[in-house]
Structures are given as structure tokens and as C-alpha cells.
Amino acid sequence: MENQEISGVTEFVALGSLGMIVLIVFIFLFIIMYQKKMNTHALQINEKETNHQKELLGSTIMVEEKERERIAKNLHDDIGTNLNVLKLQLTKISRNPADKELVAELLHESKAMLENTIQQVRGISKDLMPPVLMNLGFEKALSELCRNINNSNSIYVDFTTMSEGRTPDQKIILQLYRIVNEVVNNIIKHANATHISMKLSAQGNSYTVLVAHNGNGINDQDIKKLSGEGKGVGLKSILSRVQVVNGRIEYSTHEKNSEIKIEVPLKESKQ
Amino acid sequence: MLLKEYIIEILPGLSTASTFLPFIIALICINCLKTEVKWLFFLVLASILAELIGLIMHHYTKSGNIIYINIYQIVETILITLFFRSTTPTIILRYLITLLCTGICIWSLYFILGPNRNSLNDVAFGIESIYVMIFSLLGFYFLLKKLQNNNIWDIPVFWVNSALLLYFGGNLFLHGFGNYLYEHSLYTFFELWSIIHSSLNILFYILIAVAFWKTRKYQA
């Protein structure tokens, strides 16, 4: 009788322990599965990120190459041609020094051509580094850009700054200027907007440029889609420049307007 | 005093005391009340209340506290259901959870209002245990699907699901096979019941306390 009792209790305890062990093993298996899946997920995200980086790097190189190509073309087609013509005219002058009428005419033409070449060199230099950016600083340069757009009378740009003179590091400024330039260009070209509002602000360690417009906007999903389809060289250039300066760009659309928010790290510097 | 007797003596007291552990932790990590684990905080409160009422009634009326355990079981089912509802992503499952909870509660109420109110509602406890186990397993599945945190140990819901699975798994066994042991030995039945039930209680409240503690990091 006692043996039967002990055997019953042993069976009960053994069965219960087995059940609990099964549940505990299940939880441990779940933990292993979770961590495995998490690692795979992290790897996939890394891979995606690497591909994205590669794509951006590719587009940065492409944008730079295009820029170089354009400068080379300008130098070759305009400045090179002008200098060659000048060389020919000077040769003609040296061969006919006695023909005063011809010399005067050639000198007049050469002077005009030199003026033209100087203007072209200025144009290229302005393209490479806007003098207003060098001379007046980032915010004045943007204000100047807005003023120029307003002068065209096709679109009105409203410019406000609340940064109290705090601007990003000199290395970031040129990239940020190019980004804002490209963003505004895209709005003018594609958004069909009549009004743009540009607001600059600095808070904590971040500097924000908020560009809002009343045209047809795009949001982050559209940007991803366009980038995925390999469309929009300008857009890729914006994204790669944003990455170069460790910044962030957000595209959003609302009922009445659309916004592009560009955020870059700020290093205290007075303009 | 033999070790076994000592354990039998001390475990129920420890089990009652362990209910205060998650309560204290919840007071420290008050943020946990903003998350889905808040329902477990209310469960801890209900359990403390049930323990206190049981003790008071036993002291003054010398009557058993089985009826309070049966009432507590209804509250427990409702609160766990609310927890499951807050962690279940699909609407159909949420409806199913509510339906099952309603069914269990109606059955338990019917039992409490009936003539057997002073005996343990084993069937309702068994069904509740199966119900909680199934949905805590589903909870694990949802965690695996969602992958919300790099480290599983930092997710409070993981700790709650583990606590529910182990506690109700153990309880299901106790309620399911309790009669088998009861037939073999009445004395051993009460001894073992006390040891196992108290151990499960302690384990449950420790895991719930960990879940509350983890809400601090999780919130940040």
C-alpha cells in the first residue's frame, strides 16, 4: 500500500517536472530563435545600408564627374576658343603693324573678346564657389539667392532666419548651400509652385533649413521610390551631399503645402 | 525539524510575501503603468487583495478562502485578457480573446452562484490555464514576428509571457492531475500541492517583477 503511494507520488512529481522542463526548454528555444532571427534581420539591414551607401557614393562620383565634364566643356568650348581667336588676332597684329586701321579694329575686337573671356572665367569660378558665399556668408548667400529668384518674377520666395547668426561649420556650408540650391531648383522645375518659404533656424547642435512651398510636393516614400527606380540625378546629388555632411533630409506633404526639412550638425561660428 | 517540513512551513509565507515584490518594483518603475504590463500590475493588486481578504476571513470566521480564490480567478482572467488584447496585433484574435474570456467568466460566475461555491472550480481553472497558455505561446510568436528589440531579455512582454506560460502550465498540471494524487495519498496531496503551488507563485511574481523592472530601460 505504502509502495503504491510512493510510486504514485513519484509519477506525479516526475510528470510535473517533465512538463515544466518542456516549457522551460521551449522558452530557451524561443530565445535562441529570436536572437537568430534578430541577427539575420540586422545583417539584412546592414546589407541594405551598404547597398544604399554604395549607390550614394556612385551618385556622388557621377555628380562630380558631370560637374568636371561641364567645367571642362566650358573651358574648352568658350574660354579655349576665345583664347585661340585672341592668339590669331595678336598674330595678325604682329604681322601687320603698319596697317593702323586693321590694328585698331583687331585691338577693339580683342578687348571685347577678353572682356567676354573674363566674364566666362568669373562664371565658372562663381559656379565652383559662389563669391557671395565666400564674401558674405551662408545666410546672406541664401538671401541673395532668394532675391535673385524674386527678381525673375515667376515665383515669390519668402526668406526668414531665426538662427541668431549661428551657422554650421565652413566645410558644411558649401554642401548645404548646394543642397538648398538644388532643392529650390527642383521646386521651380517640377512643383509648379507660386510661393516658397525658406526658414533658417539653429537649435542645440543642429541647424535647420525648412523649405515650404505651395506646389505639388513629394514625401519620403516618393523619394525612396524615385531613388529605387534610378531616377533623379539631382535628387541623388541632394541625398549624397546630405550624407556627406552627416545631415538629415525629410520630405513631407500636407494639405495645403509641402515641406523639405534639411538638418545638419552645427558648430558654433559667428558670421 | 526536517528540511521538507521546514520547506512546507516556510513556502506559503514566502509565496504570499512574493506578491509584494512586483508591487514594490512597479512603484519604483512607475512608468510600467504606461505600458501594456499595467494590467499585470492590477493583477498583482488583485492578488494582494485576495490574499489579505483570505487571511482576514480565515482569522475571523475560520472559514475557507476557496470562494475568494474562485472570485479572484474571474478577475485574473479579465486582467490577463486585457493584457493579451493590448499585445495582440490582429483584430480577429482580439475578438476571439474577448469571447473566450466572456465564456470563462460566465462559467465561473455560474459556478460561484451555484451550490458548489466553496469548492475549487477545477474546470474553470483548467480552461483558463489552457486559454492563457495558448495566448502566451501566441504572444511569443508575435514577439518573433515583430522583432522590436535587439535583446529579447529587455522586452517586458517576453517576461510576462514566460511568467504566464510557466505559471499556468504548472497550474494546469496541478488541477488536471491533482485528483490522481489525491486518490493515492491525501496527506501527500496537500503537501505537494502547497509546495508546487507556492513555488509557481514565487516564480510567477519574480518574473512579473522582472517585467516591471525592464519597463524602465524599455521606456528609455
Side-chain angles (χ1 to χ4, degrees):
Chain A
M1 182 72 182
E2 202 177 316
N3 279 345
Q4 201 184 346
E5 189 181 305
I6 291 167
S7 143
V9 172
T10 316
E11 273 173 27
F12 179 83
V13 172
L15 210 63
S17 309
L18 191 72
M20 287 309 279
I21 288 167
V22 168
L23 292 179
I24 291 166
V25 167
F26 166 81
I27 291 170
F28 275 99
L29 281 177
F30 167 78
I31 293 163
I32 293 166
M33 266 171 75
Y34 185 93
Q35 295 298 358
K36 248 187 179 174
K37 204 173 170 198
M38 201 52 166
N39 290 343
T40 319
H41 185 66
L43 271 176
Q44 278 171 349
I45 288 175
N46 269 346
E47 207 173 304
K48 239 182 181 177
E49 188 63 31
T50 314
N51 285 343
H52 183 64
Q53 300 270 359
K54 273 184 192 168
E55 210 175 283
L56 283 180
L57 186 68
S59 63
T60 311
I61 293 167
M62 199 177 77
V63 167
E64 272 179 11
E65 284 303 319
K66 278 207 161 183
E67 191 81 0
R68 280 180 192 165
E69 211 176 283
R70 195 177 61 79
I71 294 165
K73 197 170 174 279
N74 279 351
L75 287 172
H76 179 266
D77 295 357
D78 301 335
I79 296 164
T81 310
N82 281 0
L83 290 175
N84 274 329
V85 171
L86 267 173
K87 188 186 159 194
L88 285 174
Q89 283 174 340
L90 287 174
T91 315
K92 218 172 181 181
I93 290 169
S94 66
R95 276 183 195 157
N96 305 287
D99 192 344
K100 288 196 173 165
E101 207 177 305
L102 180 73
V103 169
E105 192 190 330
L106 285 172
L107 278 175
H108 181 73
E109 275 179 23
S110 301
K111 202 182 162 194
M113 199 160 277
L114 261 176
E115 271 308 322
N116 189 303
T117 311
I118 289 166
Q119 286 299 324
Q120 283 169 352
V121 170
R122 275 190 187 143
I124 292 170
S125 156
K126 198 176 165 184
D127 268 1
L128 288 172
M129 176 59 107
V132 67
L133 192 64
M134 279 174 76
N135 301 332
L136 303 172
F138 177 67
E139 296 194 346
K140 287 270 164 57
L142 278 188
S143 155
E144 192 67 18
L145 176 76
C146 296
R147 200 176 61 84
N148 286 340
I149 297 168
N150 283 338
N151 285 344
S152 72
N153 285 329
S154 56
I155 191 164
Y156 179 72
V157 189
D158 172 21
F159 178 82
T160 332
T161 174
M162 292 174 288
S163 65
E164 295 165 347
R166 295 170 77 204
T167 56
D169 199 70
Q170 204 62 33
K171 286 173 192 167
I172 297 171
I173 279 176
L174 182 63
Q175 297 295 342
L176 186 59
Y177 182 77
R178 295 250 183 263
I179 293 164
V180 177
N181 219 327
E182 190 62 44
V183 164
V184 172
N185 268 343
N186 282 348
I187 295 170
I188 294 170
K189 274 199 277 181
H190 307 292
N192 210 12
T194 55
H195 182 261
I196 299 175
S197 144
M198 192 185 290
K199 278 181 192 155
L200 314 182
S201 61
Q203 207 170 32
N205 196 34
S206 76
Y207 188 86
T208 309
V209 179
L210 186 72
V211 185
H213 63 90
N214 62 351
N216 309 318
I218 49 174
N219 55 30
D220 282 339
Q221 274 79 30
D222 300 324
I223 296 289
K224 271 184 194 166
K225 206 178 158 193
L226 284 169
S227 302
E229 286 169 358
K231 287 179 187 169
V233 178
L235 204 65
K236 278 190 178 171
S237 133
I238 291 172
L239 296 178
S240 57
R241 283 188 203 277
V242 167
Q243 207 180 30
V244 165
V245 296
N246 281 328
R248 230 158 50 94
I249 187 161
E250 276 173 27
Y251 283 82
S252 58
T253 50
H254 309 287
E255 206 175 310
K256 283 186 180 167
N257 68 343
S258 300
E259 278 180 3
I260 300 111
K261 188 180 176 189
I262 309 145
E263 221 176 87
V264 293
L266 178 76
K267 271 193 181 174
E268 190 79 33
S269 69
K270 291 272 174 192
Q271 270 197 331
Chain B
M1 194 186 271
L2 286 170
L3 181 67
K4 187 181 153 193
E5 285 169 3
Y6 184 69
I7 288 171
I8 291 167
E9 187 86 13
I10 201 168
L11 261 181
L14 265 179
S15 163
T16 307
S18 70
T19 52
F20 286 93
L21 179 68
F23 178 73
I24 293 163
I25 298 287
L27 291 183
I28 296 168
C29 319
I30 203 75
N31 265 347
C32 73
L33 295 175
K34 291 178 194 159
T35 68
E36 53 269 70
V37 299
K38 65 173 177 268
W39 301 114
L40 275 300
F41 174 74
F42 298 132
L43 182 68
V44 170
L45 280 184
S47 134
I48 291 173
L49 205 68
E51 292 275 357
L52 288 176
I53 291 173
L55 280 173
I56 293 166
M57 294 310 277
H58 181 72
H59 183 75
Y60 286 107
T61 63
K62 300 286 173 204
S63 65
N65 62 349
I66 300 287
I67 187 160
Y68 305 110
I69 293 175
N70 286 337
I71 294 169
Y72 169 74
Q73 184 252 325
I74 298 175
V75 178
E76 184 181 63
T77 311
I78 293 169
L79 290 172
I80 291 173
T81 299
L82 288 169
F83 166 74
F84 282 146
R85 270 185 66 93
S86 63
T87 53
T88 305
T90 54
I91 297 168
I92 299 169
L93 271 176
R94 268 186 243 153
Y95 278 122
L96 183 69
I97 290 168
T98 314
L99 199 74
L100 284 170
C101 170
T102 314
I104 296 169
C105 290
I106 289 172
W107 164 253
S108 302
L109 266 175
Y110 176 74
F111 187 88
I112 289 169
L113 298 173
N116 298 323
R117 70 182 68 135
N118 285 317
S119 63
L120 208 59
N121 190 356
D122 271 326
V123 179
F125 270 105
I127 293 170
E128 185 204 1
S129 299
I130 293 169
Y131 157 72
V132 174
M133 281 178 77
I134 289 171
F135 281 95
S136 61
L137 287 173
L138 268 175
F140 281 116
Y141 169 72
F142 294 136
L143 281 177
L144 201 61
K145 218 174 155 192
K146 210 172 167 189
L147 291 178
Q148 65 196 83
N149 198 307
N150 280 337
N151 199 349
I152 184 77
W153 310 101
D154 287 338
I155 305 174
V157 173
F158 162 75
W159 291 99
V160 175
N161 278 329
S162 302
L164 291 175
L165 185 68
L166 293 173
Y167 178 75
F168 283 92
N171 264 342
L172 177 69
F173 176 76
L174 270 186
H175 289 284
F177 293 91
N179 285 340
Y180 168 79
L181 187 69
Y182 188 80
E183 281 165 17
H184 278 85
S185 164
L186 187 67
Y187 180 68
T188 321
F189 168 76
F190 284 117
E191 264 187 354
L192 267 179
W193 177 280
S194 171
I195 291 173
I196 296 171
H197 192 258
S198 301
S199 309
L200 284 173
N201 254 350
I202 294 167
L203 178 69
F204 179 74
Y205 290 116
I206 288 173
L207 291 176
I208 294 297
V210 176
F212 288 166
W213 183 256
K214 288 291 174 184
T215 53
R216 277 178 10 142
K217 196 175 173 185
Y218 201 63
Q219 288 275 308

